[in-house]
Amino acid sequence: MSVFRIEGGETLHGEVVVPGAKNSVLKLMAATLLAPGLSTLTNVPDIEDVTIMAELLRRLGCEVTHSGENISINVPDKPDHRADYDLVRKMRASICVLGPLIARCGAADVAVPGGDNIGSRGLDMHVEALRKMGAQVNNEHGYLLAECQLLTGAHISLDFPSVGATETILMAAVTARGETIIENAAREPEIVDICEMLVEMGADISGIGTSTITITGVSALTPVSHRVVSDRIVAGTWAVAVAMTRGDLTIHGVPAEHLALPLEKLQSAGAQVDSGGQTIQIRMDVRPQCIDVVTLPFPGFPTDLQPQFIALNSIGQGAALVTENLFEARFRFVQELARLGADVRTDGHHALIRGKEGLSGAPVEATDIRAGAGLVLAGLVAQGNTTVYGVGHIDRGYAGFVETLQGFGAKILRVDD
Ligand code: UD1
């Protein structure tokens, strides 16, 4: 088992090209199931979740070849339609095969992913939408069993702009009979990415990037070659690292509009931010001001940057209130942050952080991907040594995490515990 050993106190500098987004590539890999033949994805991040999704696709009968930043998926004429629990339990995002499998095979048996360390994660909107489109969906023996020979378009109003439910409906609707309208659809850049890929495959989708998406079913899709959108959460994590260590960094590959609110927050904290095209430059010369954050669906502040901003606030001037509206258990990690000396009090979905002049290194445990990133950022500014356990979580979402930080001048090592 690896751990990360960090010696805090270095100022980070440098330049980085951000890899493809975890939260997009997994869904794009699943979407290739919609067309028999060879599809290729480029700008694929080298992360554990991609390996798990590749294994899942192989079990469904696909040939998957992963080489560097490219992944090729050869989809058979008749894929299998069962996603087993042993893989789904490793990666909750496996649920994204539900939509394409029912569309392609007329049936999908997908293990129900349990909750995870950031809280319970419902599937009711996925299920209700498929039922509205004519599918029979039952939950039996830990599996969602969905069946429908030909899905029919439907008018679906989501209670909440769920990323996963929007993706399931999109992938189910592209070859359904007639028109599907999704009201209150998610608008994340990763949703735009999958819509664009589906259009390249021959789908008829309008309203992309808005909260009303209209899909007119077509009879079949064709394979595609598509570049995965870059990871705004990785870019945001590096931006916070620089703001905390008072350094400067040029980030390539991510348009500033994908991070508009987090960058605005960093400016309020005292950072200088310049951006143009796909480049963001960030520089920090002062101790950050504490800043309030409220997580919301895009274009609101992303929940996946909440732990990193709590880490930033923990060394800021003043105090800040962070409100988490998406995942109820995402504050669990503040107990670990407290081990580094942070002053954070939580009450329901609010966290009050009183900034401290400094943190002090200690052993801590990462409980999920973003919590892990937040703890590492805190370790980078803590006095002395911090050991981060549970780094498998971080590896699931960040390609070359340690190497990238080392390239910025951080003293961080991966060592066998
Ligand atoms: C995706 C991202 C995750 C990010 C989240 C919100 C991936 C692999 N993960 O997760 O990193 O934090 O978007 O931006 O892309 N909900 C229901 N019923 C449903 C669906 C969702 O109650 O049918 C609830 C969830 O429990 C959660 C909230 O809605 O509280 C948000 O979920 P959703 O937007 O679907 O997030 P995910 O797709 O799971």
Side-chain angles (χ1 to χ4, degrees), residues 22-23 27 92-93 120-126 160-164 188 303-304 326-327 330:
K22 171 183 96 69
N23 286 353
K27 328 305 173 58
R92 211 194 161 278
S120 66
R121 300 173 87 171
L123 290 176
D124 48 312
M125 287 185 261
H126 302 243
F160 177 89
S162 153
V163 170
E188 272 69 4
T303 173
D304 288 349
L326 278 86
F327 294 112
R330 219 162 201 171

Side-chain angles (χ1 to χ4, degrees), residues 278-333:
Q278 305 255 326
T279 297
I280 300 165
Q281 283 177 299
I282 173 150
R283 182 190 175 89
M284 186 75 156
D285 297 318
V286 294
R287 182 176 167 202
Q289 288 289 334
C290 286
I291 28 160
D292 293 345
V293 163
V294 178
T295 68
L296 283 172
F298 190 85
F301 188 93
T303 173
D304 288 349
L305 285 175
Q306 177 259 95
Q308 298 87 321
F309 272 73
I310 288 193
L312 173 86
N313 279 322
S314 73
I315 54 153
Q317 295 191 56
L321 190 65
V322 171
T323 304
E324 172 57 55
N325 287 315
L326 278 86
F327 294 112
E328 75 275 7
R330 219 162 201 171
F331 285 148
R332 272 186 201 156
F333 96 107

